[in-house]
Amino acid sequence: MANQLINDMIITKRALPLFRDTNGFIKNVDRSYDSYFGKSGAKIGASVNVRLPNDPVVGDGATVSPQLITERSVPLTIAYRKHVSLSFDTQERTLNIDDFSGRYIEPSVNNLTGTVANIAMQLALGAANMVRNTDASGNTIAPDSSTWLQAKAKLTKQHAPTMDRFAVLDPDTDANTVSGLMGLFNPQAKIGDQTTTGSMQAPLLGVKEWISDQTCLVTTTGTFDGTATATGVVTNLTQSGNTIPSQISQIYAPQQSVIGTSAIVGTLNVGDVITIAGVNQVNRVTKASYGTPMQFVVQQAAVAGATSIVVSPALVGPNSDGSQAQFQTVDATPTADANITLVGKPGETIRRNMIFNKKAMTLVTVDLMEVNKGVVDCGMANLDGISMRTLTYYNGTDDSLGTRLDVLFGIGVLRPEWICIVPDIVDAG
């Protein structure tokens, strides 16, 4: 292909499919709310409230007792604007487009997409479901096929659709998982692909796609030693009454509770998962108890000596007369002196791999305004609902041209219960 003058529209149209396809995690997040936002000149702070499903209680017999329906919503906010800023001279602008793309566009878009994925990973710290594979001493070890199947079962018990389930693995966990599945009786072609590529192949174990992603978070569990007990006092937070850091409260309120406790020994970090003795998970439809401890994720770091823990999901028990409650999550509220247990060991450093349903999270991108004054060139395009702008401007200070690629976007975790964390230990050696 002959050299040509590469303008901003050419750059944008080459960058967009790279942004869409570079990161498998971002590529498979729900995109259905793009149309809720304006397509021209949008700004950070634009927001819509996305309604969550209602939860009417099923009655018995011929007599009805009309129930009040409590509407719940999650704000989906255009909260982020990320860009890559580059400088070119006119000679570089006349490269072959493939050469220009390889040298400038691809690495720029790769880093931009990775940043978006990392934000999504941070927000996924609000997922309470966790399935660990452990050794005889209770230490977290690499997940095996049974671990991933149990994680899949967690999603099913939360009524996550069985279609469009994806797994995101740190590259080291990907290697460990492939190694552990080599001996299974699976389709020979699939095993052959895994052996050849060294990566998990899909569909397998009920997962539509296995995604190796270096942006998976690595976190360290707090030092909580498990000696704290609940006081029996639980306060459910409201949209306006919580004290959670703004980025997380936008996503999860009002699906949080404050659990009163005795003074905790050690610390709890955001993303740590706990259980409370006698507080079990229920079927969200029938409200029948599963008989297994409900898992809660810590939403605000708790220091040593703290007497409360902020958790998600909200702790909603049955009505005082024992009847089913709307949005019920547990079969009983904590009794005084109920033991609080950390899921995992204190001080473990883990890779936060996960399995999720596509509808658990959503990503929206919005058109940025085309600027004219002081701009040499501007190109804005949209591909499959993803919007990006490339803009070149003149800098009179040093007589140079600068080019920037911008993405304005929002990410919402609409159904955190449709995400399950599958940790893998980070070997200190």
Side-chain angles (χ1 to χ4, degrees):
M1 180 178 180
N3 291 1
Q4 60 175 310
L5 181 62
I6 298 172
N7 61 36
D8 283 357
M9 185 56 74
I10 292 174
I11 295 173
T12 307
K13 288 186 175 180
R14 179 58 67 100
L16 267 172
L18 293 173
F19 186 88
R20 180 193 62 185
D21 299 335
T22 295
N23 186 280
F25 175 37
I26 292 300
K27 180 181 178 181
N28 290 299
V29 166
D30 177 56
R31 304 297 316 287
S32 60
Y33 291 94
D34 275 303
S35 60
Y36 281 56
F37 294 87
K39 291 298 180 181
S40 179
K43 298 178 180 179
I44 282 184
S47 180
V48 296
N49 287 327
V50 178
R51 289 184 179 179
L52 298 177
N54 289 317
D55 187 29
V57 175
V58 176
D60 185 42
T63 303
V64 299
S65 178
Q67 56 190 285
L68 294 175
I69 296 297
T70 303
E71 293 279 3
R72 299 189 310 165
S73 64
V74 176
L76 179 55
T77 303
I78 301 301
Y80 310 96
R81 180 174 174 178
K82 299 296 179 182
H83 68 268
V84 176
S85 181
L86 304 170
S87 180
F88 308 109
D89 59 34
T90 54
Q91 181 176 344
E92 290 163 331
R93 283 275 193 151
T94 56
L95 289 171
N96 178 291
I97 182 58
D98 292 331
D99 294 338
F100 186 88
S101 179
R103 288 175 58 181
Y104 301 110
I105 300 176
E106 290 179 16
S108 298
V109 172
N110 182 66
N111 290 354
L112 194 59
T113 310
T115 298
V116 176
N118 182 258
I119 292 172
M121 294 286 185
Q122 294 283 347
L123 295 177
L125 284 170
N129 297 318
M130 178 178 284
V131 175
R132 301 164 61 235
N133 191 21
T134 60
D135 62 17
S137 300
N139 300 303
T140 299
I141 59 176
D144 58 15
S145 58
S146 176
T147 318
W148 289 107
L149 288 171
Q150 290 173 32
K152 186 185 75 168
K154 278 267 189 186
L155 298 189
T156 301
K157 291 171 77 172
Q158 294 283 4
H159 302 281
T162 57
M163 302 295 291
D164 290 331
R165 292 183 179 182
F166 301 87
V168 184
L169 298 79
D170 178 273
D172 287 325
T173 302
D174 186 32
N176 294 337
T177 303
V178 171
S179 175
L181 295 182
M182 286 296 188
L184 291 182
F185 291 100
N186 285 306
Q188 291 301 308
K190 199 64 62 182
I191 295 300
D193 289 342
Q194 288 181 181
T195 304
T196 301
T197 64
S199 297
M200 289 292 293
Q201 299 295 305
L204 193 66
L205 301 178
V207 175
K208 184 174 182 178
E209 184 174 345
W210 297 79
I211 304 160
S212 180
D213 194 326
Q214 64 270 33
T215 62
C216 282
L217 297 186
V218 174
T219 62
T220 300
T221 307
T223 59
F224 175 62
D225 69 354
T227 58
T229 57
T231 62
V233 177
V234 175
T235 304
N236 288 338
L237 296 177
T238 64
Q239 187 71 37
S240 59
N242 68 67
T243 58
I244 310 304
S246 59
Q247 202 174 70
I248 294 185
S249 66
Q250 287 178 359
I251 305 303
Y252 299 107
Q255 302 178 64
Q256 303 162 327
S257 293
V258 180
I259 301 172
T261 68
S262 60
I264 70 172
V265 178
T267 61
L268 286 167
N269 296 331
V270 174
D272 288 350
V273 178
I274 62 172
T275 59
I276 307 170
V279 179
N280 296 320
Q281 181 184 1
V282 298
N283 183 305
R284 290 293 185 93
V285 173
T286 67
K287 309 300 188 290
S289 176
Y290 282 126
T292 55
M294 181 67 179
Q295 293 181 330
F296 300 94
V297 62
V298 175
Q299 292 282 276
Q300 185 174 3
V303 300
T307 55
S308 65
I309 306 171
V310 182
V311 299
S312 178
L315 201 156
V316 182
N319 294 319
S320 57
D321 62 0
S323 61
Q324 298 175 3
Q326 288 183 48
F327 308 112
Q328 185 176 333
T329 57
V330 295
D331 62 357
T333 53
T335 59
D337 300 325
N339 289 327
I340 297 173
T341 303
L342 181 68
V343 176
K345 283 198 168 183
E348 277 191 331
T349 299
I350 58 172
R351 306 180 184 98
R352 296 181 70 91
N353 315 287
M354 63 182 176
I355 180 172
F356 69 99
N357 177 270
K358 185 183 185 77
K359 294 288 186 179
M361 305 180 72
T362 191
L363 168 71
V364 295
T365 63
V366 184
D367 288 354
L368 282 161
M369 185 181 296
E370 291 196 42
V371 182
N372 295 315
K373 187 175 181 180
V375 173
V376 176
D377 192 16
C378 183
M380 185 170 61
N382 189 293
L383 177 65
D384 294 340
I386 297 174
S387 181
M388 179 179 290
R389 187 189 70 184
T390 303
L391 183 147
T392 296
Y393 54 93
Y394 176 70
N395 186 346
T397 304
D398 58 4
D399 195 28
S400 65
L401 291 175
T403 296
R404 57 185 294 166
L405 280 74
D406 283 81
V407 179
L408 178 63
F409 64 98
I411 300 176
V413 181
L414 305 184
R415 302 295 296 266
E417 68 272 22
W418 289 358
I419 302 172
C420 184
I421 304 302
V422 183
D424 185 10
I425 196 69
V426 175
D427 189 350

